[in-house]
Amino acid sequence: MTVPIGIHDIALATGHYAMDLAELARHNGADVNKYYIGLGQTSQTVPAPDEDIVTLAAAAAKQIVARHGVEGIRTILFATESGIDQSKSAAVYVQDLIGLPAASRAVELKQACYGGTSALQLAVGIVARDPEQRVLVIASDIAKYDLDSGGESTQGGAAVAMLVAANPNLAVVDETVGLYTANVQDFWRPNYRSTPLVDGKLSVSAYLEAVEQAWKDYEGRGGRGVSEFAGFCYHQPFTKMAHKAHTRLLELKGIEATAARLHADLSPTTIYNRAIGNSYTASLFVGFTSLLDHSDDLDGRSVALFSYGSGCVAELFSVTMVPGYRAHLRTADNRAAIARREPISYEKYRALRDFTLPEDGSELVVSARSRSPFRLTAISGHSRIYAAAHAQ
Ligand code: CAA
């Protein structure tokens, strides 16, 4: 790499509603502390009927374009595992909604929750080949499990958009990475299902095995030592998973994983995820955003990121924070996006889950419900119709 390449800007969007997990506990009789303490989750984002992965993605990407314009963007990489179409990329809708150049490639990437990291690394490669270009990377997902299943407490939804560029304002993506792929059937969603199949316990152990193997690969390739990192971000299906993962890493290195150590290393990265819930491809980057918004100055310091996508592919990589990065954060906007969600009861959540889009070609006008700058307005001729809020 001749010029430093990395994350020039990062923006977050989440859905309209939030259900406190006390509501889920009221419905299913669980002790709420199983969720608050055992899983480390207080609430989960629930999208409105006029929101989906495209509207969330466009809401995140719009903030990037408003600040930096579209010049130099020739690639839009959209990572998701809750895709809305088996053929057409969700990136094409975003290109149209936010007015990105027609002279661009707009594609969707998939490997469960790992897709966002693959998009980021591919973007770095594109910019390395031509440092004049900037790549818009979007990770957007709505995590939805079967009703009354074990996974229901780990739902949520969010999108994170990142502008990847040479000489970035925020963070340089470091070259050394650790990789791990293994064929594991821990979580998957066949084409005919709208919710995934999951072996919860296997998924946790597969994730932890991936932490160990990716770290070993990273170390073997000359990566930094644990003590050289100022922060650790993990993919967070639920925030307690980050504790389990970091414990595994520390123990691997012969370091005692005390409660104080885990709190010090992880707490800033879990604040947003604790409220949003799982956001699959976006989750790691929600955690990174939370770290940036809740840390002391990380100027010049390195942060380790661990990405896990069931099935499974994992990557341990790192970024080095650019001095002065704090002037470019969106802390107030990010906090507001989470705080302004409308609290809902379990009954309201259930009614939202009962709402489904037609699959038989019939027409549907979707009522305006969310405050999102972009809405799903209709289903017509088997197509999703979107509009910017100002255009309605
Ligand atoms: N007070 C405090 N803690 C309590 C408690 C109480 N009253 N009751 C239970 N707990 C604790 C349990 O001891 C347990 O903690 P440990 O794991 O540290 O032992 C924790 O709460 C959860 O309890 P259970 O294991 O009994 O919960 P569960 O049977 O509902 O399963 C789950 C949890 C497997 C995560 C389930 O929610 C699930 O299947 N989720 C979807 C899959 C998932 O998120 N997997 C994560 C790894 S895969 C991945 O990362 C990819 C992805 O995004 C999907």
Side-chain angles (χ1 to χ4, degrees):
M1 236 185 257
T2 50
V3 285
I5 297 167
I7 303 169
H8 193 51
D9 195 6
I10 186 166
L12 168 73
T14 190
H16 184 75
Y17 297 112
M19 179 173 71
D20 195 298
L21 289 179
E23 286 295 306
L24 183 62
R26 180 172 65 78
H27 164 73
N28 64 18
D31 181 342
V32 71
N33 283 333
K34 171 177 172 178
Y35 304 141
Y36 286 177
I37 299 168
L39 296 178
Q41 290 301 130
T42 50
S43 59
Q44 58 184 224
T45 287
V46 180
D50 58 349
E51 293 179 312
D52 66 9
I53 56 156
V54 169
T55 67
L56 293 181
K62 178 184 155 88
Q63 301 171 57
I64 302 263
V65 167
R67 189 181 279 182
H68 303 281
V70 301
E71 198 188 333
I73 298 180
R74 290 176 60 77
T75 305
I76 307 148
L77 300 176
F78 192 125
T80 188
E81 64 180 289
S82 42
I84 54 162
D85 195 290
Q86 301 289 357
S87 172
K88 181 171 174 174
S89 139
V92 174
Y93 294 104
V94 175
Q95 180 271 340
D96 182 31
L97 281 171
I98 63 172
L100 292 165
S104 60
R105 57 171 81 86
V107 293
E108 191 171 305
L109 295 96
K110 178 180 68 182
Q111 176 27 58
C113 307
Y114 170 71
T117 300
S118 74
L120 175 62
Q121 296 292 10
L122 291 172
V124 169
I126 289 168
V127 177
R129 191 170 69 177
D130 178 4
E132 297 299 311
Q133 288 191 35
R134 303 184 299 170
V135 178
L136 182 62
V137 169
I138 305 169
S140 179
D141 266 307
I142 291 166
K144 193 170 80 171
Y145 291 85
D146 283 346
L147 291 168
D148 298 319
S149 71
E152 202 174 15
S153 51
T154 60
Q155 300 178 130
V160 171
M162 292 175 275
L163 191 62
V164 174
N167 299 309
N169 280 343
L170 297 181
V172 174
V173 176
D174 301 325
E175 283 187 43
T176 307
V177 304
L179 299 171
Y180 177 67
T181 290
N183 187 359
V184 187
Q185 209 68 358
D186 60 332
F187 172 109
W188 69 108
R189 182 166 69 83
N191 285 346
Y192 50 83
R193 286 181 60 99
S194 62
T195 50
L197 297 159
V198 60
D199 181 336
K201 303 296 173 204
L202 175 63
S203 72
V204 171
S205 63
Y207 180 126
L208 295 176
E209 177 67 12
V211 170
E212 187 167 332
Q213 297 306 331
W215 180 265
K216 284 179 176 164
D217 185 53
Y218 175 76
E219 246 183 349
R221 299 181 71 85
R224 295 188 173 88
V226 167
S227 62
E228 293 173 77
F229 290 112
F232 294 85
C233 286
Y234 291 88
H235 166 58
Q236 295 171 50
F238 49 95
T239 68
K240 198 67 177 293
M241 192 68 226
H243 285 240
K244 290 176 188 290
H246 200 49
T247 300
R248 174 67 73 99
L249 175 61
L250 293 177
E251 286 174 353
L252 183 69
K253 299 312 301 168
I255 302 166
E256 195 186 350
T258 61
R261 172 82 195 234
L262 292 174
H263 182 78
D265 284 356
L266 299 175
S267 62
T269 82
T270 58
I271 293 165
Y272 291 161
N273 304 64
R274 200 176 160 81
I276 287 174
N278 198 354
S279 55
Y280 292 158
T281 53
S283 163
L284 173 64
F285 302 101
V286 172
F288 181 56
T289 307
S290 182
L291 173 72
L292 300 188
D293 287 348
H294 299 96
S295 286
D296 295 338
D297 209 337
L298 295 169
D299 272 4
R301 317 251 351 242
S302 295
V303 174
L305 295 102
F306 176 75
S307 181
Y308 177 78
S310 286
C312 70
V313 177
E315 180 164 341
L316 191 296
F317 66 106
S318 68
V319 298
T320 300
M321 300 309 302
V322 175
Y325 75 91
R326 291 174 105 188
H328 306 284
L329 298 182
R330 300 172 178 277
T331 309
D333 291 344
N334 295 338
R335 289 184 179 154
I338 295 167
R340 71 167 166 259
R341 294 172 306 160
E342 188 181 321
I344 52 170
S345 64
Y346 179 83
E347 290 72 22
K348 170 81 179 182
Y349 153 76
R350 196 63 183 244
L352 288 163
R353 281 293 300 259
D354 289 343
F355 171 82
T356 52
L357 298 171
E359 295 181 354
D360 59 359
S362 52
E363 307 277 306
L364 175 77
V365 172
V366 182
S367 319
R369 199 80 72 81
S370 70
R371 284 182 291 255
S372 173
F374 301 97
R375 291 187 46 244
L376 171 67
T377 58
I379 300 292
S380 179
H382 286 287
S383 297
R384 291 186 187 223
I385 312 297
Y386 296 99
H390 63 76
Q392 292 158 44

